[in-house]
Amino acid sequence: MNRINTTLEQNKKLLSIYFTAGYPTINDTVSIIHELEKNGVDMIEIGLPFSDPLADGPTIQESSTQAIENGMTTTLLFEQLKDIRKTVTIPLIIMGYFNPMMQYGMEKFCQKCHEIGIDGLIIPDLPLQVYEKEYKSLFERLNLKNIFLITPQTSKERIAQIDAISSSFIYLVSSASVTGNQSGFGEEQQNYFEKIAKLNLKNPQIVGFGIKDYTTFSQATTHQKGAIIGSAFITFLKTNAVSKINEFIKTITS
């Protein structure tokens, strides 16, 4: 079974952390993964830097720009992660945009993910129909989960299509804005979380965008299986050593 599915079966609310590979410095990628697992994170989302990250707010955009300036590339990321499964057991997901993957070669990219032990991909700009027609069989053959996003603007019909084609979890975007833009969840967003929960989808949902502390994590996971924290963690890394990651995790879990 894929590690993501095994983790989703756990009787707990899941904490997933996003960070940009190659940030703050080029060689931080593996150290960050080790520290996150050591401090109880359930899943890790590794950001593949891209020059035009449409879904990301200024914090993650800035980290992506810095990582590219540091010299991070797809090839280097795979090189850094080649032995990661010797020491790390939790699910690892690569979040990136379609263009760099296409430039690398989609089949080659997915094969490399499989060899390294990556469990899934989040590709915000990969259309559902293109995935289904051209890549679904490739992902299934390599036991890679493709994770789709839904937003408050996603229609019930579209949600049903995404739920039908998915086989791990659905990334539930908390609002229509880019990442890092929220100061907390109001009644409208919490009603949205509840509305999605009442659809009784076959795939659990993990909430992203706007989670930054214990309060927002608790709000996001009242009706959903877990939450992803990205911008707040990137902000922390900007001014704190990797060795202090335990301090950040404590602000979420207690």
Side-chain angles (χ1 to χ4, degrees), residues 28-40:
D28 282 334
T29 306
V30 172
S31 299
I32 290 172
I33 292 171
H34 285 153
E35 284 297 314
L36 288 172
E37 181 176 48
K38 186 171 76 175
N39 286 285

Side-chain angles (χ1 to χ4, degrees), residues 2 30 74 93-94 107 116 158 224:
N2 187 287
V30 172
T74 303
I93 298 167
I94 288 181
E107 183 159 357
I116 288 167
R158 180 76 169 176
Q224 271 67 42

Side-chain angles (χ1 to χ4, degrees), residues 64 105 176 182 232:
S64 192
Q182 282 77 30

Side-chain angles (χ1 to χ4, degrees), residues 209-220:
F209 293 43
I211 300 99
K212 61 179 182 178
D213 52 24
Y214 177 80
T215 299
T216 48
F217 179 79
S218 298
Q219 290 174 333

Side-chain angles (χ1 to χ4, degrees), residues 2-169:
N2 187 287
R3 294 178 193 87
I4 298 172
N5 298 90
T6 302
T7 300
L8 289 168
E9 290 180 353
Q10 295 179 18
N11 185 27
K12 60 179 291 193
K13 298 297 186 178
L14 303 179
L15 172 60
S16 182
I17 297 287
Y18 168 95
F19 76 96
T20 304
Y23 178 89
T25 72
I26 192 69
N27 293 317
D28 282 334
T29 306
V30 172
S31 299
I32 290 172
I33 292 171
H34 285 153
E35 284 297 314
L36 288 172
E37 181 176 48
K38 186 171 76 175
N39 286 285
V41 169
D42 300 295
M43 291 193 286
I44 298 173
E45 195 178 308
I46 304 163
L48 180 61
F50 182 47
S51 57
D52 190 23
L54 299 176
D56 297 317
T59 300
I60 293 179
Q61 285 186 16
E62 181 182 308
S63 70
S64 192
T65 299
Q66 183 62 57
I68 292 170
E69 290 177 357
N70 289 345
M72 179 52 67
T73 64
T74 303
T75 300
L76 179 56
L77 176 59
F78 285 144
E79 178 65 24
Q80 289 181 345
L81 296 177
K82 67 179 181 179
D83 295 322
I84 198 68
R85 284 304 173 195
K86 293 179 180 179
T87 52
V88 173
T89 61
I90 62 174
L92 299 175
I93 298 167
I94 288 181
M95 185 277 183
Y97 291 85
F98 196 34
N99 187 278
M101 297 179 191
M102 283 290 291
Q103 288 180 353
Y104 190 84
M106 199 62 187
E107 183 159 357
K108 180 183 172 186
F109 186 93
C110 291
Q111 181 64 44
K112 204 70 178 173
C113 287
H114 173 71
E115 291 171 5
I116 288 167
I118 299 299
D119 303 289
L121 298 177
I122 300 172
I123 314 171
D125 57 343
L126 174 60
L128 177 67
Q129 291 77 10
V130 173
Y131 167 73
E132 186 170 22
K133 183 179 179 181
E134 299 185 25
Y135 301 113
K136 184 172 181 284
S137 60
L138 172 66
F139 275 62
E140 290 176 347
R141 175 165 57 84
L142 297 173
N143 194 26
L144 276 175
K145 300 300 180 181
N146 191 33
I147 296 142
F148 289 96
L149 287 74
I150 63 174
T151 76
Q153 282 66 48
T154 306
S155 67
K156 280 189 178 181
E157 179 185 21
R158 180 76 169 176
I159 292 171
Q161 291 173 341
I162 287 172
D163 191 43
I165 204 170
S166 299
S167 58
S168 59
F169 70 87

